[in-house]
Each structure stands twice: as structure tokens, then as C-alpha cells.
């Protein structure tokens, strides 16, 4: 008799628990927890890593980043329950990093280690991507360089707005580069022979060449000069620092997440190629010539050889 009563009690208790769990689930569905709002940012106007763009002709408008697959993993993690606001529209990188240090922005995608500019950020390991720094030259001249010592004998340039790690900046000083303020000016000096080579990020240099219609008229060196690891940096003053660090570190241990970012990088390059496939290359004019010889990238016989 006791066994029968115990069985009946167990069934009633079990049904009671199931009903309570079901009621709790229904309550959660009807009253979901408020999402934790986070703000993230990245490099400015530094495609394909992160940039802001507005294209009225095709309706594109917004902030874009190669780290989007990783951000999506974070946003779709039901346990994390976060909503991420992408902030890349601020024009000044120093201003963005000030906001990160103050906690106004929670984390930064693409920070460099051992670099003063990113001081005050808690870097999460491992690195998500690597930013290779290389040399771009005219195709017929790329074989003139077989070692870094050869570069020191030539005239080099760089884009003053491109941010490198402190280690790379220190090494670059050995080359006594002339700084210009835009990718256009950099490529112009290559084609007018005012400079022999350009030191730039391989990916950013390639994207800028694609946008100008110059991809087939310039050549990157086969060897990379330096490889800058790119980390996710969390604000040390963010009230959500521990949660963000714990979640993203977990995502970084999954090789599939790293692979998805690498695949996104390649797909972005392809997208830029498709978008700018019909761009007519600029006509560069060589200064200090009596005939004002025009150096046109599309008609350069040197580039075709």
C-alpha cells in the first residue's frame, strides 16, 4: 500500500513540477529579459577591416567590418542576450579609443598589442586576424627588390593615415619614408616615378587599388615585411567587461569562428572587385617634364610586360 501511495505521490509531484516548468517557459516567452546593450567600434576608413560607407545609388548605408561573423555569434548567443551597436562613423580614431577607455564604447575590433594607441584596452587572445604589411611597386620594377636592404636604397612612401603597431612604426623609420595623406597620392607618386615603392597593409592597399581601378597595374611583393596580429580589445572601464571577455574568449577557442572571419575577409575583397570592376583608372601627370608626359595606368606598357 505504501508503494502505491508513494507512486501516486511521485506522479502528482512530477506533474506539478512539469506544469511549473511549462508555466515558467511560457512566462519567459511572453516576458523576455531585456537585452544587454553593448557598443563596439573599429578602425576608421580602413577597408576591408572596418569602414563606414554611404552609397545612395544602391541603397547601401552603414558600418561594415570583417569581424561581422564573430559579432553575429555574440548577438545570436541566447545565453549572452546582447544587442550590439556598431560605431565606426566617428572620424577620428583617437576619439573612438578615448570612448573605449572611458567605457562609453565597450570593445574594439582590430587592436594591436604593445602599441601605445591601444593602451588601456584588455586584449583577448588569440588574435582574430593578421594584418600583413608589404611593399607595392609597378610590376616591371618589383624584381628590383630581393631584400629589405634594397628598399633602403630606393625612395619609399606611406599613407600617413594608416595605423601600424608600434613595432612596425619603429621599423618603418629605418626606411625614411615620405608620408602622403591619401591612397590616391600614394599611387600617383608610384606612377609618376616620384617614389619607387609604397609600404602598406596588403589588404588595405589592394582594396584601395581596386577602388581606383589600378589592381592590375600594381604588384605586391611576394614576401610580407611584417605581420600585425589584430585582437579584440575590451574597455577596462566597461561595466560589462567580464561578461564580454568571457563570451568572446569562448568564441575565439572555436576554430570555425576564426575561419568564418578569414572567409569574410576574402569575400569582401571579391565584393570590392565586383563593385569597382568598371572603374576607369586615373590619369597621372608627371611633373617637371617639358612635354607634361601623361602616365596612364591603363596604357602602361611596362605594366603589361
Amino acid at each position: 500500500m505504501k508503494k502505491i501511495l508513494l507512486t501516486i505521490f511521485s506522479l502528482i509531484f512530477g506533474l506539478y513540477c512539469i506544469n511549473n516548468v511549462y508555466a515558467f517557459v511560457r512566462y519567459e516567452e511572453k516576458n523576455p529579459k531585456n537585452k544587454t546593450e553593448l557598443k563596439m567600434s573599429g578602425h576608421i576608413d580602413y577597408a576591408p577591416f572596418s569602414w563606414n560607407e554611404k552609397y545612395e545609388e544602391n541603397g547601401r548605408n552603414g558600418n561594415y567590418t570583417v569581424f561581422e561573423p564573430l559579432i553575429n555569434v555574440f548577438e545570436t548567443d541566447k545565453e549572452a542576450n546582447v544587442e550590439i551597436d556598431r560605431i565606426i562613423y566617428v572620424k577620428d580614431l583617437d576619439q573612438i579609443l578615448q570612448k573605449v577607455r572611458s567605457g562609453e564604447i565597450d570593445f574594439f575590433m582590430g587592436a594591436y598589442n604593445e602599441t601605445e594607441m591601444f593602451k588601456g584596452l584588455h586584449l583577448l587572445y588569440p588574435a582574430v586576424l593578421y594584418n600583413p604589411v608589404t611593399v607595392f611597386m609597378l610590376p616591371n620594377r618589383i624584381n628590383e627588390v630581393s631584400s629589405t636592404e634594397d628598399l633602403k636604397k630606393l625612395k619609399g612612401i606611406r599613407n600617413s593615415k594608416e595605423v601600424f603597431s608600434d613595432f612596425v612604426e619603429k621599423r618603418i623609420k629605418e626606411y625614411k619614408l615620405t608620408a602622403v595623406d591619401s591612397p590616391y597620392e600614394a599611387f600617383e607618386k608610384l606612377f609618376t616615378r616620384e617614389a619607387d615603392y609604397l609600404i602598406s597593409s596588403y589588404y588595405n592597399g589592394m582594396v584601395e587599388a581596386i577602388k581606383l581601378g589600378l589592381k592590375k597595374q600594381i604588384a605586391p611583393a611576394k614576401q610580407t615585411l611584417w605581420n600585425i596580429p589584430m585582437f579584440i580589445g575590451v574597455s577596462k572601464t566597461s561595466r560589462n567587461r567580464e561578461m564580454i571577455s568571457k563570451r568572446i574568449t569562448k568564441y575565439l577557442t572555436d576554430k570555425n569562428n576564426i575561419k568564418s572571419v578569414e572567409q569574410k575577409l576574402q569575400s569582401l575583397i571579391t565584393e570590392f572587385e565586383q563593385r569597382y570592376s568598371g572603374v576607369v583608372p586615373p590619369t597621372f601627370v608627371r611633373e617637371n617634364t617639358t612635354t607634361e608626359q601623361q602616365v596612364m595606368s591603363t596604357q602602361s606598357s611596362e605594366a603589361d610586360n
Side-chain angles (χ1 to χ4, degrees):
M1 183 68 178
K2 289 183 178 180
K3 290 184 178 180
I4 295 174
L5 291 174
L6 182 61
T7 300
I8 294 173
F9 175 78
S10 298
L11 288 172
I12 294 173
F13 182 74
L15 290 171
Y16 173 79
C17 291
I18 292 173
N19 184 62
N20 281 349
V21 170
Y22 178 73
F24 177 76
V25 171
R26 290 294 301 275
Y27 176 83
E28 286 289 301
E29 290 176 349
K30 294 180 179 179
N31 303 276
K33 294 180 181 179
N34 293 330
K35 289 182 178 292
T36 300
E37 296 183 359
L38 303 177
K39 297 182 183 298
M40 62 75 61
S41 192
H43 291 267
I44 300 171
D45 196 22
Y46 198 44
F49 298 110
S50 56
W51 73 102
N52 183 64
E53 65 177 327
K54 294 181 180 180
Y55 286 114
E56 295 180 0
E57 64 270 21
N58 58 18
R60 294 187 63 163
N61 179 11
N63 305 323
Y64 300 90
T65 171
V66 70
F67 301 102
E68 194 66 38
L70 198 59
I71 299 172
N72 287 338
V73 171
F74 200 179
E75 283 188 311
T76 55
D77 186 339
K78 293 183 179 180
E79 189 175 343
N81 195 36
V82 300
E83 182 176 347
I84 300 174
D85 183 12
R86 296 149 177 78
I87 301 176
I88 309 176
Y89 55 78
V90 182
K91 294 183 178 180
D92 188 279
L93 183 57
D94 286 330
Q95 184 180 356
I96 281 182
L97 291 172
Q98 287 174 11
K99 291 178 181 293
V100 177
R101 293 188 190 94
S102 69
E104 186 176 340
I105 295 177
D106 297 285
F107 60 102
F108 184 96
M109 310 295 280
Y112 300 150
N113 63 333
E114 298 181 4
T115 298
E116 186 68 22
M117 175 174 283
F118 299 101
K119 186 177 181 180
L121 278 65
H122 173 59
L123 303 187
L124 304 181
Y125 287 76
V128 188
L129 280 178
Y130 285 83
N131 186 12
V133 179
T134 191
V135 168
F136 287 92
M137 299 180 72
L138 296 181
N140 70 307
R141 302 197 62 191
I142 197 69
N143 292 329
E144 293 179 20
V145 178
S146 58
S147 69
T148 54
E149 290 302 313
D150 293 330
L151 292 176
K152 295 178 181 179
K153 303 173 187 176
L154 302 173
K155 294 180 293 183
I157 51 172
R158 65 165 296 183
N159 183 352
S160 62
K161 297 180 181 179
E162 184 165 15
V163 177
F164 297 129
S165 66
D166 283 357
F167 172 80
V168 172
E169 289 289 354
K170 183 178 179 180
R171 294 296 304 273
I172 279 179
K173 290 180 181 179
E174 300 175 13
Y175 298 88
K176 299 179 180 179
L177 304 176
T178 299
V180 296
D181 294 330
S182 70
Y184 182 95
E185 291 179 76
F187 288 119
E188 180 181 34
K189 288 189 179 297
L190 281 185
F191 282 95
T192 57
R193 301 301 181 91
E194 295 178 62
D196 301 304
Y197 66 90
L198 162 68
I199 285 185
S200 171
S201 157
Y202 171 81
Y203 294 113
N204 181 249
M206 191 59 68
V207 166
E208 296 300 336
I210 290 171
K211 289 163 67 175
L212 290 170
L214 296 172
K215 181 187 176 184
K216 295 182 180 179
Q217 283 73 46
I218 54 99
K222 294 180 180 180
Q223 289 186 321
T224 296
L225 293 176
W226 307 284
N227 231 356
I228 307 176
M230 304 185 82
F231 298 90
I232 296 175
V234 182
S235 171
K236 291 183 178 180
T237 57
S238 169
R239 62 181 180 180
N240 296 298
R241 172 187 169 182
E242 289 188 11
M243 183 272 286
I244 296 170
S245 300
K246 181 180 178 181
R247 292 289 173 185
I248 295 182
T249 298
K250 177 183 176 182
Y251 306 147
L252 293 176
T253 60
D254 188 338
K255 293 182 179 179
N256 289 326
N257 290 331
I258 301 295
K259 186 177 181 180
S260 66
V261 175
E262 294 171 347
Q263 291 173 337
K264 180 67 174 180
L265 177 63
Q266 298 304 322
S267 68
L268 285 173
I269 298 293
T270 300
E271 286 181 26
F272 275 105
E273 289 179 325
Q274 294 173 345
R275 188 189 309 169
Y276 293 93
S277 60
V279 171
V280 177
T283 299
F284 296 123
V285 178
R286 184 179 302 170
E287 297 179 356
N288 300 325
T289 58
T290 56
T291 59
E292 292 188 339
Q293 178 184 4
Q294 291 184 333
V295 184
M296 296 187 64
S297 57
T298 54
Q299 297 180 353
S300 176
S301 60
E302 295 172 332
D304 294 334
N305 294 331

